[in-house]
Amino acid sequence: MNNPDNNNDRSKTRLAIFASGTGSNTQKIIDYFRNDDNINISLIVCNKRGAGVLQIAERENIPSIVIEKGKFFTDGYVPILQEMKIDWIILAGFLWKVPVSLIQAFPNRIVNIHPALLPKYGGKGMYGHFVHEAVLAAGEKESGITIHYVDEHFDHGETIFQAKCRVDSNDTPDSLAQKIHTLEHRYYPATIRELITTKK
Ligand code: GAR
């Protein structure tokens, strides 16, 4: 583990962020909760060595682990998460399916953000630019974001929040991705806070 946990304040609600890529949502969530009295970003979990999100963890001095497929799909890293007293798991661009072992250990405590208006444009292989390409190819007039609970199916659990944006005729996958990221950054951290506060 990098940056071993030096935060002994266990009175706060402890979040683990799972991410696979650049980590722009992770950065926004960290910024949002930086001085929060009740919520702490306690761990970054990543499945890809060299991913940008690991540099964020390093810079922010947040403990991080790079997980390994065989172990993830066996014990879901549940013992480590429990040892670190993690309360909620926040997926932010995490591209592996969440195993049942993890879902059972954190019932209704795992949240994902998807860059489209589910149930449309979800499922296996639907991530990042593949989603935006599919939305444009279908001639959709609007797209958006979905924040939802995670269950054992890809992009399937109960919806918590959605926000929409227009799709213009001259949009490209990149320009649409930018609109979606703007929505994600605006709404994901606040939705997480709302959820945790009302569920406590
Ligand atoms: C986000 O747009 C998120 O919605 C998407 O990956 C991106 C990660 O960006 N997730 C999925 O497509 C999951 N199916 P980030 O690394 O800059 O936060």
Side-chain angles (χ1 to χ4, degrees):
M1 180 177 303
N2 279 337
N3 311 318
D5 197 6
N6 56 7
N7 174 10
N8 293 318
D9 181 1
R10 298 291 154 101
S11 63
K12 293 187 183 181
T13 299
R14 294 168 61 80
L15 273 49
I17 302 178
F18 283 44
S20 305
T22 322
S24 72
N25 279 287
T26 299
Q27 185 68 63
K28 291 292 174 189
I29 296 166
I30 293 169
D31 292 344
Y32 188 88
F33 291 110
R34 191 178 301 283
N35 298 313
D36 198 276
D37 289 339
N38 302 309
I39 294 171
N40 179 258
I41 309 305
S42 306
L43 179 66
I44 307 286
V45 175
C46 180
N47 61 310
K48 230 192 215 168
R49 222 164 270 286
V53 72
L54 291 170
Q55 290 164 26
I56 295 175
E58 192 63 40
R59 195 172 61 234
E60 299 283 354
N61 207 23
I62 295 173
S64 66
I65 47 176
V66 178
I67 57 175
E68 182 260 309
K69 208 165 204 162
K71 183 169 166 57
F72 187 57
F73 290 104
T74 310
D75 77 2
Y77 283 76
V78 169
I80 294 176
L81 296 166
Q82 287 175 338
E83 195 183 307
M84 291 195 71
K85 303 272 185 269
I86 297 300
D87 299 300
W88 286 78
I89 294 172
I90 307 297
L91 309 187
F94 182 70
L95 301 183
W96 283 355
K97 195 168 180 200
V98 177
V100 174
S101 51
L102 193 48
I103 292 167
Q104 284 177 348
F106 289 85
N108 284 324
R109 289 288 185 280
I110 309 179
V111 179
N112 182 40
I113 191 160
H114 185 76
L117 296 170
L118 293 174
K120 284 174 148 186
Y121 307 106
K124 195 169 162 50
M126 274 295 178
Y127 60 88
H129 66 100
F130 293 113
V131 176
H132 309 312
E133 281 164 10
V135 167
L136 291 172
E140 296 284 358
K141 296 284 172 269
E142 61 181 18
S143 189
I145 61 168
T146 304
I147 298 169
H148 65 95
Y149 288 109
V150 171
D151 65 11
E152 46 281 289
H153 307 288
F154 260 122
D155 303 324
H156 180 265
E158 185 193 337
T159 294
I160 297 161
F161 177 87
Q162 287 188 314
K164 292 178 181 174
C165 64
R166 255 180 52 180
V167 178
D168 295 308
S169 54
N170 60 349
D171 264 323
T172 63
D174 277 352
S175 67
L176 185 53
Q178 266 181 33
K179 289 181 185 175
I180 296 291
H181 263 122
T182 302
L183 288 179
E184 292 184 332
H185 297 164
R186 183 183 307 154
Y187 291 114
Y188 203 16
T191 304
I192 292 166
R193 193 218 292 278
E194 168 80 18
L195 193 61
I196 291 174
T197 311
T198 54
K199 270 242 176 179
K200 243 181 155 182

